[in-house]
Amino acid sequence: GTKLDEEMTHIRELLHVAQIKPEITGNPLLENVPLLVENVVSMCVKEAVTNVVKHSSATHCKVDVTQLTKELKVTVKDNGKGFSGDRSAEGNGLRGMRERLEFVNGTLDVESGLGTVITIHVPTILR
Ligand code: ATP
Ligand code: MG
C-alpha cells in the first residue's frame, strides 16, 4: 500500500523542521504486504523518528525500508547522544512498538551507544 510511503513524507518534514538531515533509502512503496502489517510498521517508524527528534540531539537520521521475499526490514538510525538501550529505560513509546510488533509476529531491536539504531523485522506472509 501507500501508507508507509505517505508516512515518509511526514517524517522528512519532521526531521527537516528539527534541523536533522534526513536520509531515506530503500523503497517504502510496499507490495503485497497486509494492511495491518503496514499500519504497525508506519506507527513504529513514526515513533522511532519522534524519539530521534525529542531525545537524540542528532544531526543526521537515516531511515531504510527493505522488502525481502518474506519479510520487511526497517531501520531508523541516528548519530545522536544515545541512551543505555536497556529494557528498563524503555517508556510507553518503545513498549507500544514492541506490543504492536508482537501482534504481527515482528521484532524490535534497539542498539544504542554512539547514536541509536532501531531495527524492525516483520514477516509479510501471515500464517
Ligand atoms: P513517549 O514515547 O511515551 O512519549 P518517551 O519517548 O520518553 O515517551 P520511549 O519512546 O519509550 O519513551 O523512549 C524511552 C527513552 O529512551 C526516552 O525517554 C529516551 O531517554 C530514550 N531514547 C529513545 N530513543 C532515543 C534516541 N533515538 N536517542 C536518544 N535517546 C533515546
Ligand atoms: Mg517516545
Side-chain angles (χ1 to χ4, degrees):
T2 57
K3 170 101 190 201
L4 187 60
D5 191 49
E6 284 157 21
E7 191 60 52
M8 288 302 166
T9 306
H10 180 231
I11 277 163
R12 228 185 268 278
E13 285 166 4
L14 216 68
L15 290 168
H16 180 76
V17 166
Q19 295 184 293
I20 300 170
K21 192 178 181 359
E23 184 184 347
I24 301 192
T25 61
N27 185 7
L29 264 177
L30 307 180
E31 279 175 53
N32 294 314
V33 173
L35 197 56
L36 177 63
V37 171
E38 181 152 0
N39 285 339
V40 167
V41 169
S42 299
M43 171 270 165
C44 289
V45 173
K46 185 189 204 164
E47 171 58 23
V49 171
T50 301
N51 278 346
V52 173
V53 170
K54 280 205 300 193
H55 307 297
S56 76
S57 306
T59 57
H60 194 109
C61 178
K62 179 172 167 156
V63 180
D64 178 75
V65 179
T66 301
Q67 187 171 2
L68 304 168
T69 322
K70 292 178 180 172
E71 69 160 23
L72 187 61
K73 183 187 175 206
V74 180
T75 58
V76 177
K77 182 178 176 177
D78 71 63
N79 68 344
K81 65 184 179 194
F83 67 111
S84 74
D86 296 344
R87 285 282 179 108
S88 61
E90 295 190 358
N92 287 329
L94 287 166
R95 276 201 288 264
M97 283 167 75
R98 281 191 199 284
E99 274 168 25
R100 286 177 168 91
L101 281 166
E102 227 166 80
F103 192 64
V104 291
N105 300 312
T107 57
L108 177 77
D109 287 303
V110 181
E111 277 177 84
S112 197
L114 277 178
T116 301
V117 190
I118 300 284
T119 306
I120 295 160
H121 285 272
V122 201
T124 48
I125 297 173
L126 294 181
R127 279 164 275 187

